[in-house]
Amino acid sequence: MRQFRHVVAVLAVLSCSDVTSTGNGVIAIQVRVPAGAAVEPGDTLTLVAEALDKNGDVVNEPVYWRTLDPTLLTIVDSIGLLTTDSLTGTGQVQAYVGSLLSPLIDIGVHPPSDTLAIVGPDTMTVLDADTASAPLDAAVQTLVPPGGVPGTSISYVVFDSLPSLGLVHFQGGGMSLRAETGTDGSPLTDVTIRRTNGVVQPDSVIVEVFAFRPSQAVVPGSGQRFIVRFQ
């Protein structure tokens, strides 16, 4: 199960500098980081950057990273591996090739994602008069000290998607949904599933939940299921 994440590209054309040994001039650094990038203790975040020449082509030149606050963010590997010993905060990192610098990039810090828990009923019934299910309540939690993990996400996927294709959908449409977590580790907006108007409704559907650490390691407790029955 993959976590689907938005990726942004930052292109910095800040100066011209012939920094390669082959004579190819690096004039830009292209940085790709996850939207809302974050890191947590005991895990790592991989940062990706490429050096570009004047034609926009990738140059075989290493791009290095630095952090502006080493007490908050730790560069494990200068070519792009990041971790932390902190539980909260926002730090900044920057990519560089020689004297050429990328813009500063914000990296959030949150507690370790120790478990994904279903915190509400795992079985529910949608009555004929209802347009949507009750919330599918789950939360990413840290154990020491106990609490929720904000600034991460929970992925909801209709497990039996082939027989249910077109019969149900999440509130935003589609058979999967990625929900951002708030301070208690649960989705900022209730996650519900709805029957599709004008089609024969299913007897029931199964929804699986997953969460991932910044390194893309699966959070324990992922794969639990909600059963939603329709009347």
Side-chain angles (χ1 to χ4, degrees), residues 2-205:
R2 290 181 56 202
Q3 182 185 30
F4 296 94
R5 302 201 299 177
H6 299 292
V7 175
V8 296
V10 181
L11 183 61
V13 183
L14 302 177
S15 66
C16 294
S17 175
D18 185 21
V19 299
T20 68
S21 59
T22 61
N24 292 324
V26 176
I27 68 164
I29 300 173
Q30 180 172 264
V31 175
R32 295 193 298 274
V33 297
V39 69
E40 61 185 49
D43 196 57
T44 57
L45 173 68
T46 300
L47 303 168
V48 178
E50 296 171 322
L52 304 179
D53 64 15
K54 64 182 179 181
N55 298 317
D57 296 324
V58 176
V59 176
N60 186 23
E61 182 74 22
V63 179
Y64 298 97
W65 290 87
R66 67 179 185 178
T67 173
L68 272 63
D69 185 356
T71 65
L72 182 63
L73 299 176
T74 301
I75 300 293
V76 179
D77 185 324
S78 61
I79 59 172
L81 200 61
L82 183 70
T83 190
T84 186
D85 293 324
S86 300
L87 297 177
T88 186
T90 301
Q92 291 184 312
V93 295
Q94 190 171 45
Y96 64 94
V97 177
S99 60
L100 182 64
L101 305 175
S102 78
L104 294 173
I105 299 164
D106 290 340
I107 304 291
V109 173
H110 58 64
S113 302
D114 292 322
T115 187
L116 174 63
I118 291 179
V119 295
D122 63 0
T123 302
M124 60 194 68
T125 298
V126 182
L127 302 177
D128 282 338
D130 295 336
T131 58
S133 71
L136 308 180
D137 288 330
V140 182
Q141 299 175 337
T142 186
L143 299 180
V144 183
V149 179
T152 184
S153 63
I154 302 172
S155 294
Y156 292 77
V157 181
V158 176
F159 172 72
D160 49 349
S161 58
L162 187 59
S164 300
L165 187 63
L167 304 183
V168 296
H169 60 275
F170 289 102
Q171 62 265 35
M175 306 290 282
S176 64
L177 181 144
R178 177 176 173 269
E180 301 297 325
T181 63
T183 55
D184 63 354
S186 62
L188 288 166
T189 303
D190 286 344
V191 176
T192 60
I193 196 162
R194 304 163 182 260
R195 61 167 64 91
T196 301
N197 292 332
V199 301
V200 178
Q201 69 183 29
D203 293 329
S204 63
V205 294

